[in-house]
Amino acid sequence: MNVAYLYQRLGIVIEDIYFVEPNPDPGEEGPERGVRVEVRHVENQPKSGSRYSAYPIDIRTAIWRADLLGSVAAGPGARDRMHYHPGMVDDEPGDRQYAPAITADPLAWLTSQIEQIEQIVAAKVPDVTEYDSDLREIRRQVPVIVASVAQMMEQVRRGELAKEPA
């Protein structure tokens, strides 16, 4: 399942994932599942039809990612694989970054990250002021966004989402 909060130039994309690392580091063997949250660039495209037609929206390059994952072996609700990727380049995440605050309280940690959205965006764009209206709206929507993540995490815990692929 994917949930997206799209603004004029930025978006927050939330998805459930079931993931098997092909070349795991020690301690990261075996499948993991959970919820991924990404900050992405968004591009509104010109309309191609009449003035009443919908316009295409492209969800573009990811600039930041949080993977709120647990190993399948540890059971529902596990927090043993939670990490984030602060500096994505061309959609590639780079090394996993771990922080005790993520596993202690993933939703509080995520809230603090999104509340500091300017810092996330400033690390990837030359002029963050071009994103001011999106940044204000994202900060205003933090409770709604985090509630969506919480709901999806609960659905993963119950085994309704992030299922092993057939």
Side-chain angles (χ1 to χ4, degrees), residues 16-147:
D16 68 304
I17 61 168
Y18 186 101
F19 185 74
V20 179
E21 172 63 50
N23 299 305
D25 288 333
E28 295 178 0
E29 299 87 4
E32 48 198 23
R33 64 185 192 150
V35 176
R36 173 171 284 165
V37 181
E38 290 180 332
V39 176
R40 289 176 163 260
H41 288 286
V42 171
E43 262 185 45
N44 293 303
Q45 300 298 317
K47 292 181 180 186
S48 58
S50 73
R51 73 171 80 179
Y52 307 108
S53 69
Y55 59 90
I57 301 171
D58 289 341
I59 302 172
R60 296 287 185 158
T61 307
I63 60 175
W64 180 91
R65 174 185 292 167
D67 286 325
L68 307 177
L69 308 176
S71 64
V72 172
R79 298 179 178 181
D80 58 332
R81 304 276 178 92
M82 292 189 173
H83 62 276
Y84 70 109
H85 303 276
M88 296 184 66
V89 177
D90 297 326
D91 285 325
E92 292 296 332
D95 292 338
R96 291 178 171 193
Q97 302 295 313
Y98 295 92
I102 301 172
T103 55
D105 189 340
L107 297 175
W109 177 85
L110 182 63
T111 297
S112 71
Q113 296 298 300
I114 299 173
E115 286 174 344
Q116 299 172 48
I117 188 75
E118 290 92 348
Q119 293 172 356
I120 291 170
V121 175
K124 289 296 183 184
V125 300
D127 185 4
V128 74
T129 62
E130 294 177 15
Y131 296 81
D132 279 349
S133 71
D134 282 10
L135 297 171
R136 278 192 306 276
E137 189 60 22
I138 290 169
R139 278 193 315 276
R140 193 177 75 73
Q141 293 287 317
V142 167
V144 174
I145 294 165
V146 174

